[in-house]
Amino acid sequence: MSKIIKVIYIIFLFVVVFSINNIFGQEDVPEAEKESPNYTATSYYLIEDVWNTNKTDIEPDTLLIDFVFFDPINNGNFMSASLGAFGHNHRILDITPLSLEQNFRNIHYNHFLQNRSNFKIYNTSSPFSRLYFATGIPKLQYFGGTHAQSVKNFNFGVDFQVINSLGTYQRQRVTMGSASTYLKYVTNNKKYGILASFQFNQFTAQENGGIADDSLFTYNEEPFRPGMPININTKAENKYLDNEFALTHYFDFLAKNDSTISKFTFGKIIHNLQISKQKWLYLEEEVDPFQRPVTHTSLDNTYDSTLFRKISNSLEMENKINFRLHKKENFIGLNFGLKNEIYTIGDYFYKSQINSYTPFLKAYTKIADLNISANYHQMFTHNENAKNDLSLKLSYNIKEHLFSFSYNNINAQADLFYFNYHANYNQWDLPAENSSFNSISFSYKNKFFDGGISSQHIANYVYLNHLAQPTVYDENISLLKSWADFSWNYKILHSQTKLSLHTSNADSILMLPTYTVRERFYFVFYMFKKAMLANAGFELSYIPEYYGAYYSPELMDFYLNNEHKIGNFLMLDIFIGFKVKRLNFFAKMSNAPQGILPYNYFGTPHYPLQDRNFSLGFSWRFYD
C-alpha cells in the first residue's frame, strides 16, 4: 500500500509541476470540450417533464472533472454525514421539506438508487452509450452504464449500476443493484404520445452498530481497522427492495404535423399511472433479550419486514396559449386535474389502506424573460385532516443573470413510519397529525456564482428522540439557511468553492452544523499536442464541531444526540485525471493527510470515515 501511495504522490507532483510550467505557455482550455467530428449532441430531461414543451434540456456530464467525484452524496450544496462505507446510509446536512405525497419512510441511501428524481429521458439522434467503472481500497467496485437510442418515432433507453463496497471495519459491506428502462412513442402529427417506464432497486447493508470504543480510533490504538471491536457482533443487515411501473400518455386535440408551435392548446389530456412496491427487512441473529429487549416473535432472532404499496392515477387537462412578443416565444397556461392514490402498509401486526383524492390547479406564464408559476394541491383522505400545498415560483433572466424567488406552504403529515410501526425492538401507534412547512427563498445565478438564502418556519416537527422514539416538537422552528457556489478560472487554473450556513432556534433538535466549506482547486490543460486533456488538483472540506445524529441500525434511521459532538476535521482528497477522445480516466487519493491530522473524522457518532485510500476509474462514451 505504501508503494502505491508513493507512486500516486509522484504522478500527482509531476502533473502539477508540468501544469504550472505551462500556465502562461498553454492556450486557454475552453470550458466546453471540443468533441470529435462524429459526435452527435445528446441531452436529457427528467421523466417528470416528459410532456412539458418548455422543459430545459440538460447536457450529460462530460467534463473531465465530473467523473472524479463519482460519489453522488458529495456533489450537492449541502454536505452529508455518512456511516463511512460507500453506498451506506447517510444524512444530508439540511432539512428535507414536507411532501404532500405520502411516503412510508425516509430512504437515507436514495442518492445511490434509480428513482423518479434522477430518471433521465435522453434526446439523441443517434445511439448514445456510456460505461463507467470505479474501484478502490478498501474493496470497492462501482460499475454502471447507459444506452439511449431513437428509431423513427420511438425513443428508448436503459440505465443500470452495481455497487459492491466492503468498507474498512467489520460488517460494513454494502451491495446494491439498480436499473431503469423506458420506451417512448409519439405520432407523426404529435397528437398522441406515450411513455412506459420501469425501475428496480435492490439494496443490502450489513450493520455493525459502529465501533465499540471510540478511543481506539481517536488515539489510533488499533491501526488494524478490521480488528477493532464493534457494537453488533452477530449477523445483522438491512435489506431494501423496490420496483415501479409507470405509464404516462396524452392526447392533444390541436397538435400540428410540423415544427411550429401551436397557437392554442385547449383540452390536451394527460393521464399518469404509477404502480410501485417497497419492502424493508431487518435481520439479526442470536438476539440477547437481556441486552436488547424484544417485543414480539422469537427471542433468538429478528426478522422485521415492512411492505408499502402505492397505486396512483391522475388525469390532467392542459390549456395553453402561445404568442410572440419582442421576437420571443411566450405563453400563458392553466392546467387542472385530479389525482387518486391508494396506499397499503403492512408489517407483522399492522395493516391498513389509505385512499386519497387530490384536485390540483396550475397557472403559469412566460413573458419575455419573466417566468411565473403557481400550484395548488388539496388532498382529502378518509378520517384524516385535509392536507394542502401552495407554491409560487418567479424567475427573471436578464442576459446571463438569473434571479429567482419561491414561496412554499405545505400542511401535510410526516412519513407514515412515525405513526405506525411494529418491529422486534420498536413499536408504536400514535395519532396522526399534520405538520406545516413554510419557506421563502431567493437565489441568484450567473456564470461564476450560484447561491441563495431561505427562511423556513416549521410547526409540529416530527423527529426521533434520544430513545429513537417518534416525538412532535411542540414549539415553532425558525431556520435560516444560505448557500453559495463560487467558481472561477484563469487560463488553466480552476477553482470551485461551496459554502453552506444554518442558523435556527432549535439547534438541539435539527442537529446541523452552523456551516460547511468545500474547496476544489485544479489545473486543466492539454498534453501531447492536444491529444490528451489532463487535470490535477485537490478537494478540501471542513465541518465544524456539532452534535451529529446517532444512527439506529434496526430502524435504519437517525435519532437525537445532544451528548456526543463530532466534526472539527479537515478532509483532503488529491486527484489526477486524463481524457483521450471519449475515454476519461482518473486516480484519486482520499484523506491524504491521515496520520498528520488528528483521528477525529467521524461521519456519524461511532462511525469513522475511511482512512487514507486510493481509487481509480474510467468512463467511456460511445456514439454510433
Side-chain angles (χ1 to χ4, degrees):
M1 179 63 184
S2 61
K3 292 183 178 179
I4 296 176
I5 293 173
K6 290 179 181 178
V7 170
I8 297 303
Y9 271 130
I10 292 172
I11 295 175
F12 174 76
L13 291 174
F14 167 77
V15 175
V16 170
V17 171
F18 180 89
S19 62
I20 291 176
N21 288 335
N22 288 274
I23 288 179
F24 300 104
Q26 287 275 7
E27 298 179 9
D28 292 355
V29 177
E31 293 183 13
E33 298 175 25
K34 293 182 179 179
E35 301 290 348
S36 55
N38 60 345
Y39 167 72
T40 301
T42 300
S43 62
Y44 69 86
Y45 51 88
L46 299 180
I47 193 171
E48 299 291 353
D49 291 329
V50 60
W51 306 130
N52 181 4
T53 55
N54 301 287
K55 58 182 174 289
T56 301
D57 288 349
I58 306 169
E59 293 293 328
D61 292 335
T62 59
L63 295 176
L64 183 60
I65 190 67
D66 291 333
F67 185 57
V68 175
F69 301 98
F70 59 89
D71 189 339
I73 68 173
N74 288 330
N75 289 318
N77 286 315
F78 296 94
M79 295 175 66
S80 65
S82 73
L83 302 185
F86 181 82
H88 214 306
N89 284 273
H90 55 274
R91 175 176 176 255
I92 300 298
L93 297 176
D94 188 24
I95 291 295
T96 302
L98 286 171
S99 172
L100 200 63
E101 182 179 355
Q102 292 280 264
N103 297 296
F104 179 71
R105 70 189 308 168
N106 191 2
I107 302 176
H108 291 288
Y109 38 87
N110 205 36
H111 290 80
F112 294 94
L113 304 179
Q114 300 277 353
N115 52 67
R116 296 190 72 80
S117 66
N118 58 23
F119 200 127
K120 301 172 183 176
I121 308 297
Y122 287 86
N123 286 319
T124 181
S125 58
S126 64
F128 168 81
S129 301
R130 174 178 178 254
L131 291 175
Y132 57 89
F133 175 77
T135 185
I137 301 173
K139 294 180 181 178
L140 166 67
Q141 290 85 39
Y142 181 36
F143 175 63
T146 300
H147 177 75
Q149 188 171 351
S150 296
V151 179
K152 294 184 178 180
N153 295 2
F154 289 91
N155 184 327
F156 62 91
V158 177
D159 264 307
F160 74 93
Q161 67 176 15
V162 178
I163 295 175
N164 181 23
S165 173
L166 187 61
T168 300
Y169 300 84
Q170 297 181 64
R171 304 202 51 77
Q172 265 196 327
R173 183 174 182 176
V174 176
T175 58
M176 185 185 305
S178 60
S180 62
T181 184
Y182 67 88
L183 176 63
K184 176 185 174 185
Y185 171 79
V186 179
T187 60
N188 287 329
N189 59 12
K190 309 290 178 64
K191 285 184 176 294
Y192 180 76
I194 184 171
L195 172 72
S197 63
F198 180 78
Q199 63 190 46
F200 168 83
N201 295 286
Q202 185 173 21
F203 170 89
T204 301
Q206 294 179 336
E207 302 285 2
N208 62 15
I211 59 176
D213 186 352
D214 289 356
S215 65
L216 295 178
F217 175 77
T218 55
Y219 295 104
N220 200 30
E221 295 180 1
E222 178 53 88
F224 181 63
R225 305 308 194 201
M228 197 171 288
I230 55 178
N231 285 313
I232 300 179
N233 293 297
T234 60
K235 179 182 178 181
E237 62 185 23
N238 272 297
K239 293 177 177 289
Y240 172 76
L241 177 70
D242 79 26
N243 56 70
E244 177 183 282
F245 170 77
L247 179 71
T248 176
H249 55 137
Y250 77 89
F251 184 80
D252 189 347
F253 292 95
L254 299 176
K256 293 184 178 180
N257 186 17
D258 55 35
S259 59
T260 62
I261 299 178
S262 300
K263 186 175 181 180
F264 301 102
T265 303
F266 289 123
K268 179 179 180 180
I269 300 174
I270 304 172
H271 172 246
N272 296 292
L273 169 67
Q274 288 177 243
I275 303 173
S276 63
K277 180 177 73 173
Q278 298 172 297
K279 184 177 181 180
W280 292 266
L281 179 63
Y282 177 68
L283 302 169
E284 186 176 342
E285 296 180 353
E286 301 176 12
V287 174
D288 186 348
F290 297 100
Q291 288 188 349
R292 308 180 73 190
V294 296
T295 60
H296 77 281
T297 65
S298 172
L299 296 180
D300 59 359
N301 67 79
T302 291
Y303 189 90
D304 295 332
S305 177
T306 307
L307 181 67
F308 181 67
R309 288 193 180 97
K310 180 179 73 172
I311 301 176
S312 173
N313 266 290
S314 71
L315 194 63
E316 180 177 357
M317 182 167 288
E318 177 182 306
N319 303 279
K320 185 177 175 184
I321 301 175
N322 295 282
F323 59 93
R324 294 186 66 86
L325 183 66
H326 302 302
K327 299 182 180 181
K328 292 184 178 181
E329 296 294 342
N330 303 274
F331 58 83
I332 183 170
L334 180 67
N335 293 16
F336 57 88
L338 179 66
K339 186 175 185 179
N340 171 237
E341 294 177 307
I342 301 174
Y343 306 93
T344 303
I345 312 104
D347 53 37
Y348 87 97
F349 174 78
Y350 173 83
K351 185 175 182 179
S352 71
Q353 188 174 89
I354 301 173
N355 195 350
S356 70
Y357 292 90
T358 307
F360 57 88
L361 183 68
K362 303 177 183 178
Y364 49 93
T365 184
K366 177 181 182 296
I367 301 176
D369 296 313
L370 178 65
N371 283 270
I372 303 175
S373 66
N375 295 272
Y376 182 74
H377 297 73
Q378 179 74 52
M379 176 184 284
F380 299 96
T381 56
H382 181 64
N383 291 333
E384 290 187 14
N385 297 327
K387 308 171 181 66
N388 54 72
D389 178 5
L390 172 64
S391 64
L392 173 66
K393 296 182 179 180
L394 184 150
S395 65
Y396 182 68
N397 193 340
I398 176 171
K399 297 183 178 179
E400 294 185 350
H401 303 274
L402 177 64
F403 300 86
S404 301
F405 164 83
S406 66
Y407 169 76
N408 196 220
N409 183 348
I410 302 177
N411 293 284
Q413 183 179 305
D415 291 339
L416 299 170
F417 161 78
Y418 292 106
F419 303 102
N420 294 100
Y421 182 71
H422 306 86
N424 208 28
Y425 297 125
N426 301 273
Q427 61 175 287
W428 48 76
D429 292 280
L430 302 174
E433 60 177 301
N434 282 0
S435 301
S436 67
F437 180 92
N438 289 274
S439 172
I440 298 177
S441 299
F442 299 89
S443 63
Y444 168 71
K445 182 178 182 180
N446 62 23
K447 187 176 180 181
F448 305 104
F449 175 83
D450 184 2
I453 186 170
S454 174
S455 176
Q456 301 176 353
H457 299 274
I458 309 170
N460 293 334
Y461 178 70
V462 182
Y463 66 100
L464 296 178
N465 63 20
H466 66 287
L467 299 175
Q469 300 290 307
T471 303
V472 177
Y473 189 62
D474 57 5
E475 296 182 23
N476 291 339
I477 296 176
S478 295
L479 172 66
L480 183 67
K481 69 178 185 180
S482 56
W483 62 96
D485 185 341
F486 304 90
S487 61
W488 62 267
N489 60 80
Y490 173 72
K491 292 186 177 291
I492 67 172
L493 299 179
H494 295 255
S495 174
Q496 182 183 43
T497 305
K498 289 180 178 286
L499 305 172
S500 71
L501 174 68
H502 291 94
T503 58
S504 79
N505 63 343
D507 291 338
S508 61
I509 301 299
L510 301 180
M511 297 173 292
L512 300 173
T514 53
Y515 64 93
T516 63
V517 182
R518 268 181 297 173
E519 167 64 27
R520 291 177 184 172
F521 185 85
Y522 55 97
F523 305 94
V524 180
F525 53 92
Y526 287 110
M527 299 177 66
F528 307 117
K529 297 182 179 180
K530 295 189 177 183
M532 174 187 291
L533 185 65
N535 75 344
F538 65 84
E539 180 181 66
L540 184 68
S541 60
Y542 175 75
I543 297 180
E545 192 174 56
Y546 75 108
Y547 290 103
Y550 286 134
Y551 174 72
S552 169
E554 57 267 26
L555 294 178
M556 201 163 42
D557 210 338
F558 295 85
Y559 65 99
L560 187 66
N561 162 37
N562 288 147
E563 58 185 18
H564 192 131
K565 284 190 174 183
I566 60 172
N568 191 28
F569 61 83
L570 286 166
M571 296 296 286
L572 175 64
D573 298 344
I574 300 173
F575 59 88
I576 55 176
F578 308 96
K579 178 178 180 181
V580 180
K581 294 184 178 180
R582 302 169 189 166
L583 175 65
N584 285 9
F585 173 83
F586 80 87
K588 182 169 68 170
M589 183 185 301
S590 301
N591 195 7
Q594 179 205 337
I596 301 174
L597 300 176
Y599 287 87
N600 64 344
Y601 40 91
F602 286 89
T604 299
H606 313 309
Y607 289 86
L609 299 175
Q610 299 292 332
D611 291 325
R612 183 191 300 117
N613 61 87
F614 170 68
S615 59
L616 57 86
F618 71 86
S619 172
W620 198 338
R621 291 173 292 141
F622 304 86
Y623 307 99
D624 296 330

